[in-house]
Structure formats: C-alpha cells, structure tokens
Amino acid sequence: MKRNNSVRTFLPYVLLLSVILVAAYFWDANNTKVHELSYNEFMTYLESEQVTKLEVTPKSSDSTYLLTGKLEDYDKNESFTLILPYTDSVISKVLEEANLQQLDIVVNKEPRYVWVSVLMEFIPIIMIASLSVYLVRSMMGNGKGGTLDFGRSRAKLNQDGGKTTFKDVAGLNEEKEEVKELIDFLKNPKKFQKLGARIPKGVLLVGPPGTGKTLLAKAVAGEARVPFYYISGSDFVELFVGVGASRVRDMFKQAKQTAPCLIFIDEIDAVGRQRGTGLGGGHDEREQTLNQLLTEMDGFGANEGIIIIAATNRPDVLDPALLRPGRFDRQVTVNLPDVKEREAILNVHAKGKILEESVKLEHIAQRTPGYSGADLENLLNEAALLAVRRNKNAIGMDEIDEASDRVLMGPAKVSRKVTDFEKKVVAYHESGHAVLGIELPNGEEVHKITIIPRGMAGGYTQMLPKEERTLVMTKEELLQRITSYLGGRVSEELFLGEMSTGASDDFKRATAIARSMVTEYGMSDLGPVQLEHRSSEVFLGRDYTTSNKNYSDTVALEIDKEIRKIMNECYERAKSILIKNKDLVTLLANTLSEKETITKEEIEALVEEYNNSKKEKKSKKDE
C-alpha cells in the first residue's frame, strides 16, 4: 500500500517533466527552418561548392536515402533536406562530387530497429494522454472525494467503532444508561425483535459545549464494536443545490452495506434548522438536505440496523419534523457536571500528569462549579504548561490557581502600568464585593481577591457558592446576589467619593437578574405572570419579525419601575452593610494595595483580626 501511494505521489511530477521536455523539443523543432530541395537544385549547389555540410542516412523501409545539410548562406537554425532513390549510381555520383570538394560528409549506418523511431514519434502523444487521464481521475476523485466528486458522502468510517469505551467517559451515569439500549440492540437485535420492541432510530444529545456529547457517541460505538460513521452537519451543505441531498443518500447507502452500524452527526443544527425561516425565507440547499435526511430516517425505505446519534447545543432551532417519534425518538440531555462528576473527570485527565502531594483533585472539583469536561481538561493542561515553563518537576496548587485564572479571565498583565489612584479604586471596589459576600447570610464564599489586571478586568473577586445547586434559587438568594454585584460601586462612593466605569459589568449582571425576576419568575408586585421568555436573540434559523413581547407599553413602564425598585432596594442594602463594616473594607483594601492578591486563608485571618478588634472596642466601651 505504501509503495502504491509513493508511485501516485511522484507520478504527477514525472508526467510534468515529460510534458516540459516534449514542449521543449517541439519548441526547438518549430524554431528550426528546414528547406526541401529537389535533386537538380541540390546538385547545382553541390557543383558550385555552396554545400558546407552533408549527412547521408539510408532508409531501407522505403528504399531511399535521406540527405540533410547546410549551405553557405544559411543561418544557424537553417538546413536543407533531400530524399534520393535507393540506387548506387545516384548516391555514388553525389559522394564522388563531395569528395572532390573535400566536403565534410557523415554517412550513417542503416538503423536495425525501425520500431524504435516509430515509438519515439508516439511518446509525446502517450505522455499527453496519460497526463490528461491522470488529471481527470484526480478531479473525479476515483471515488475518494475529488474536485468533481460532489455527491459522495463526506462521512468517515471507523470499522471497529474506535477504542473509546464507557471507561473513558467520566460521570454521565444517567446518560450512559439511556444509550445502553442501543448497544444491546446492536449486539443482539433478535432479543428486541422477539418481543416486538422497536429500538429508537435516532438519539439526540443536547447540552452545552464541552460536556462530552461527541465523546459519549464514540463510547457507544466502541462498546458495541460496530462500524461507526462520523460527519459534521456542515459537511452536507455546499454551494450547489442538491449536493447535500446526494451526500445524505450516499451516506445511508454506504451505511446499509455495513449494517448494523452507527452514524454520528455532530452539530446537526447546521443542517437541521427550521424550514421556511430566516432572512430570505429559507435556504434551498440546506432545506433540500434536511428533507432528504427526514426521508432516509423515516420514509418509505427501510434502514434497518442503522442508528443515528446527533449532537447539538441549540435544540430550539431544529425543525419539528426532525424531533418527532420515528426519527429522533429520544433526547438525552448532557448537562454540566456536578462536583462528583468533576472529580471523576479530573481523575481521567490527570492520568499521565505528575502532581504534587498537596494537589487534591477533590478540592479542585469543589472550586470549579460551572466548568465543563473540556474546561477541566484545559485547566490541567494549562497547569502542566505552567509547571514546565517554571522548570518544576511536578504540578502544584500555584499552577492550578494560575491556570484557573487564565481559563476564566486570561493571562495576568503584570507589565501594564497602573497608577496608584487606579490601584486604590480597584482595591476598594473589590473589597466592597468581598465584604458583602462575607456579611450576607446566603452570600457566596470569597476564595480570592486580586487587583492584577486580567483580560478586560482591572481585578476580580472569586466567589463560590457554599452549596452547589443547579435546580432552583429563592427570591432572597437572587436579591442577595444583586446586592453583592452592587457592592463595588457602593464602596467607591462611600470611601472615595467617586464613580468609576469598573462597575459596568456588575450592573449588566444585576440588571439581568432583576429583569428575570420581574418578567420570568413572577417575583414582583406585577404578580405571577411570565411576560418574557428566553431565546429572544435573533439568529438565521428564526425571522427578524419574531417577537417575544407579550405585554403593552403600559406594562412595559411598570416593568421598568419594578426593576428600578429592586435595584434601588439592593443598592441601599449594600450601602448599609458596608457602612457598618467600613473598617473591614479599609483593612481589605489596604492589604490588597500592598499584596495585590489575597487568598481565602488570608481573608479569613483578616476577618478574624477585624472581629477581635471589634470585640475589644466593644469591651472597652462597656467598661
């Protein structure tokens, strides 16, 4: 196989060189001017001693002599040619006259192999024909996806399903149970057919990016040990209408030949968006591709033994016909991992990495809520890169902390010039956030405060929930979160008498929570009414005219008043808390200005120092 590939690699260059040589030969032949002389003309020139060079070649095939040579007045590229009959008297007369003049004569022997000269005449034709055939086969692709091979499927085949199994997929226990039926069916379909059970034709994996949807599909194929076709949704769509539908047909045709098998379509929303929507009323090529996919999955033709697994993080844009029973019968939601699943994922990605004894994966899992599996892999990889850069023999917690900051905010901009006033503003801003996190009853724990610029932020306060919850949040918890976001601006006003632009992102998050409380959660004086819902952004799968506004202008005014009311109440609450704990804010701000970064342990020590001094002042006052 390797030898064949090497021949194919060098064949174009050999053909190209041959074409260049043939072209050079014909170019030289075209630049040479040849005069055909008669016997009388030649003898006149010969007798008048105008012939300077003569070459005689016998040709027994047609019983003639070929004479070529030059005359005195010829240029470098000029020559004459003459054909004489094959008789001794004629050629003897010519040679006798030439010898008398002492002319330079070359008499060639008769060639023994006439077929060689004939073959040389056909070599250019053979070379050009071979090059033409090669170029055409390359464009057609020879069945392997050439330039003109538009209708062939782009799906790649893995015969044994791959080496990935469920052991390589950490967490996702419920999701694994959902897809185990597919594995049992692929291994023993008669067991299901005996009871009349119909296995789902399609399984749709839904979830945020990086949660392991593609990995789960590979593990299903690896466990079942069946042929596994994988393709991206964008590989179907082409410039020419009808190409995508042809590729779908070809993909299912190939799959039928290797059934039972799996087909995995990643990012299916690229081809499965709703039909008849968008800026121009739809997309003909994409919609034809979708129509063909719908027909192949559940049409008149039977696709027994073919199971389709698709993945997307935008199920809301998919066409309803794609989600009906008989096509994608089952939807499996792959959510972000919880703390136990994060620890299991870290254990998988920690294999092959040298960690210090102080590094506890359990603690890292607790400090990374909201991280996906891909984020955790990136976290450990960034930590390993930092350890190598620092010439360390193992990965420590310092590298883990720095890698976490890099993943969230970007690299630290240590070389950036920051004035003392800017540093003071950022220190009091972040201290305000931290104090509210400490003092609020249901506030988040403060793990780290820094005023070192990262990304677009001048500093940040890392706060993590005391208990990880993913289902519900109470009204009080939402209000406390808004209060915590407003702590930075309140601290600037109280202790510096100034307002900075650093609170813009805090206002954005706080306002979004307040608006959701009013319009979605029914947590205001407007009552338990949902006035707005999510997914109101514009994208190509929807029309620009789609509106999620379900209220009048009068209600819109009421919504604005309620949002402003919530924000003002939380602002006043933050102000009262910071006034009561102004010494703690000042202590944290001064420590930040000195050290630039303080950790959870240092924060706890400062809070304890503040509480002790507070008790001493109170006891002295009582005395």
Side-chain angles (χ1 to χ4, degrees):
M1 181 64 68
K2 291 183 179 179
R3 184 178 180 183
N4 190 19
N5 290 336
S6 62
V7 171
R8 290 184 178 181
T9 303
F10 289 104
L11 182 59
Y13 300 103
V14 174
L15 292 176
L16 181 60
L17 179 61
S18 302
V19 170
I20 293 174
L21 294 176
V22 171
Y25 171 78
F26 281 109
W27 175 266
D28 184 64
N30 291 332
N31 288 337
T32 302
K33 189 175 183 181
V34 180
H35 302 274
E36 292 186 2
L37 302 180
S38 66
Y39 175 73
N40 293 331
E41 289 176 338
F42 169 72
M43 291 303 296
T44 302
Y45 289 130
L46 183 61
E47 292 173 356
S48 60
E49 299 183 359
Q50 295 186 36
V51 179
T52 60
K53 184 178 180 182
L54 183 63
E55 184 176 351
V56 180
T57 304
K59 299 178 66 178
S60 60
S61 59
D62 53 359
S63 301
T64 59
Y65 282 100
L66 175 64
L67 277 66
T68 57
K70 289 181 175 295
L71 300 180
E72 287 182 348
D73 56 348
Y74 279 4
D75 294 334
K76 183 179 179 180
N77 294 329
E78 279 187 289
S79 64
F80 67 81
T81 181
L82 172 67
I83 296 177
L84 297 179
Y86 198 83
T87 58
D88 293 337
S89 60
V90 175
I91 196 65
S92 298
K93 184 178 181 181
V94 172
L95 295 177
E96 182 181 355
E97 183 67 30
N99 289 326
L100 291 174
Q101 298 180 17
Q102 297 181 353
L103 185 64
D104 183 15
I105 304 174
V106 178
V107 180
N108 298 323
K109 293 182 179 180
E110 181 178 359
R112 295 182 179 180
Y113 305 103
V114 181
W115 61 270
V116 175
S117 60
V118 176
L119 182 61
M120 291 300 294
E121 295 179 0
F122 283 97
I123 283 179
I125 301 175
I126 295 173
M127 290 295 182
I128 294 175
S130 301
L131 180 61
S132 301
V133 171
Y134 175 79
L135 293 176
V136 171
R137 288 173 64 87
S138 299
M139 295 179 70
M140 294 301 296
N142 196 20
K144 296 183 179 179
T147 309
L148 299 179
D149 194 15
F150 297 114
R152 300 286 294 179
S153 171
R154 296 293 189 267
K156 298 178 181 179
L157 172 62
N158 197 333
Q159 286 287 358
D160 59 352
K163 299 180 180 179
T164 305
T165 62
F166 281 160
K167 294 181 181 179
D168 302 311
V169 183
L172 303 180
N173 296 323
E174 292 79 8
E175 290 81 358
K176 292 178 186 177
E177 291 295 329
E178 285 289 321
V179 297
K180 275 185 178 180
E181 289 181 2
L182 304 180
I183 300 172
D184 295 337
F185 173 77
L186 292 170
K187 287 183 176 180
N188 188 13
K190 294 182 178 179
K191 181 174 66 174
F192 292 84
Q193 295 169 357
K194 182 179 178 181
L195 296 179
R198 180 181 61 81
I199 201 69
K201 293 185 177 180
V203 176
L204 184 65
L205 303 178
V206 179
T211 50
K213 300 184 291 295
T214 304
L215 185 63
L216 184 61
K218 290 181 180 178
V220 172
E223 291 284 343
R225 291 296 175 185
V226 296
F228 178 59
Y229 294 87
Y230 53 98
I231 189 173
S232 173
S234 60
D235 288 334
F236 291 109
V237 183
E238 279 285 355
L239 174 65
F240 305 102
V241 177
V243 173
S246 176
R247 289 179 178 175
V248 172
R249 288 191 296 269
D250 187 65
M251 181 180 68
F252 277 89
K253 180 181 177 181
Q254 294 180 26
K256 289 177 184 178
Q257 296 173 357
T258 57
C261 64
L262 282 172
I263 297 177
F264 176 62
I265 304 176
D266 199 10
E267 304 297 342
I268 195 174
D269 51 279
V271 70
R273 289 174 179 264
Q274 289 187 15
R275 292 167 290 183
T277 57
L279 297 177
H283 188 291
D284 288 341
E285 163 63 359
R286 179 175 54 78
E287 292 183 4
Q288 285 195 22
T289 306
L290 175 59
N291 291 337
Q292 187 63 44
L293 181 62
L294 297 175
T295 304
E296 293 289 345
M297 288 188 67
D298 188 24
F300 287 102
N303 289 318
E304 297 296 337
I306 301 176
I307 297 177
I308 300 179
I309 301 178
T312 182
N313 51 15
R314 296 297 306 273
D316 55 316
V317 306
L318 296 180
D319 194 277
L322 199 62
L323 304 177
R324 75 160 176 81
R327 289 184 179 132
F328 283 105
D329 306 79
R330 185 174 298 178
Q331 292 190 30
V332 179
T333 302
V334 185
N335 286 316
L336 292 171
D338 58 18
V339 61
K340 292 183 179 180
E341 292 175 332
R342 289 198 298 273
E343 184 179 355
I345 294 171
L346 287 169
N347 277 309
V348 171
H349 295 305
K351 293 179 181 178
K353 293 181 174 62
I354 303 175
L355 303 176
E356 294 181 355
E357 294 183 358
S358 60
V359 177
K360 304 296 181 184
L361 297 180
E362 180 183 358
H363 297 163
I364 300 175
Q366 294 173 354
R367 295 173 54 182
T368 52
Y371 277 54
S372 65
D375 292 331
L376 294 172
E377 180 187 10
N378 188 33
L379 172 67
L380 292 182
N381 185 61
E382 285 287 342
L385 294 175
L386 285 170
V388 173
R389 197 178 303 166
R390 295 173 180 178
N391 296 322
K392 296 183 65 175
N393 297 323
I395 302 172
M397 282 305 300
D398 291 339
E399 286 74 35
I400 297 291
D401 290 336
E402 176 65 19
S404 177
D405 294 340
R406 281 172 170 265
V407 172
L408 289 176
M409 308 292 294
K413 299 181 179 179
V414 183
S415 60
R416 175 180 289 181
K417 177 64 176 177
V418 180
T419 64
D420 293 337
F421 177 74
E422 287 178 323
K423 185 181 292 187
K424 187 176 182 181
V425 170
V426 176
Y428 274 100
H429 182 101
E430 300 302 335
S431 298
H433 288 306
V435 170
L436 288 175
I438 294 169
E439 295 297 325
L440 288 171
N442 294 321
E444 298 177 317
E445 290 185 351
V446 182
H447 278 251
K448 185 179 182 180
I449 313 173
T450 180
I451 58 174
I452 299 176
R454 286 182 182 271
M456 300 298 294
Y460 75 97
T461 302
Q462 184 180 17
M463 304 174 70
L464 301 177
K466 297 176 182 177
E467 294 182 359
E468 188 172 340
R469 293 160 58 183
T470 58
L471 296 179
V472 295
M473 291 188 69
T474 63
K475 179 180 179 181
E476 181 60 26
E477 288 174 335
L478 293 174
L479 291 174
Q480 290 187 19
R481 182 164 293 187
I482 295 174
T483 304
S484 178
Y485 283 138
L486 297 176
R489 168 57 64 84
V490 173
S491 179
E492 292 173 8
E493 285 190 11
L494 289 177
F495 298 96
L496 301 175
E498 291 286 349
M499 295 183 185
S500 73
T501 59
S504 60
D505 189 62
D506 298 331
F507 292 158
K508 177 182 176 180
R509 298 182 181 185
T511 305
I513 295 175
R515 188 170 192 87
S516 296
M517 290 176 63
V518 176
T519 61
E520 294 182 47
Y521 308 143
M523 296 178 178
S524 68
D525 294 340
L526 294 180
V529 180
Q530 188 180 55
L531 302 171
E532 293 178 351
H533 56 86
R534 296 185 185 274
S535 70
S536 59
E537 64 273 6
V538 174
F539 53 89
L540 293 179
R542 296 271 194 270
D543 289 329
Y544 271 100
T545 56
T546 301
S547 176
N548 294 324
K549 181 179 178 181
N550 300 320
Y551 47 83
S552 63
D553 293 339
T554 303
V555 176
L557 179 61
E558 295 295 327
I559 292 174
D560 293 341
K561 290 181 179 179
E562 289 295 324
I563 294 174
R564 192 175 295 110
K565 177 182 176 183
I566 292 174
M567 296 291 288
N568 290 337
E569 289 177 354
C570 292
Y571 193 89
E572 293 300 325
R573 185 179 182 182
K575 183 181 290 187
S576 63
I577 293 174
L578 293 184
I579 290 174
K580 291 180 182 178
N581 298 275
K582 59 182 180 179
D583 293 337
L584 179 58
V585 176
T586 304
L587 179 61
L588 290 175
N590 292 335
T591 307
L592 271 176
S593 299
E594 180 182 353
K595 295 185 175 182
E596 292 187 341
T597 301
I598 52 179
T599 61
K600 178 183 178 182
E601 292 75 14
E602 293 173 325
I603 295 171
E604 291 175 351
L606 291 173
V607 171
E608 185 177 357
E609 178 185 345
Y610 165 72
N611 290 331
N612 292 334
S613 63
K614 192 175 180 180
K615 289 179 182 178
E616 291 178 1
K617 290 181 181 179
K618 185 177 181 182
S619 60
K620 290 180 180 180
K621 187 177 180 179
D622 292 340
E623 291 176 359

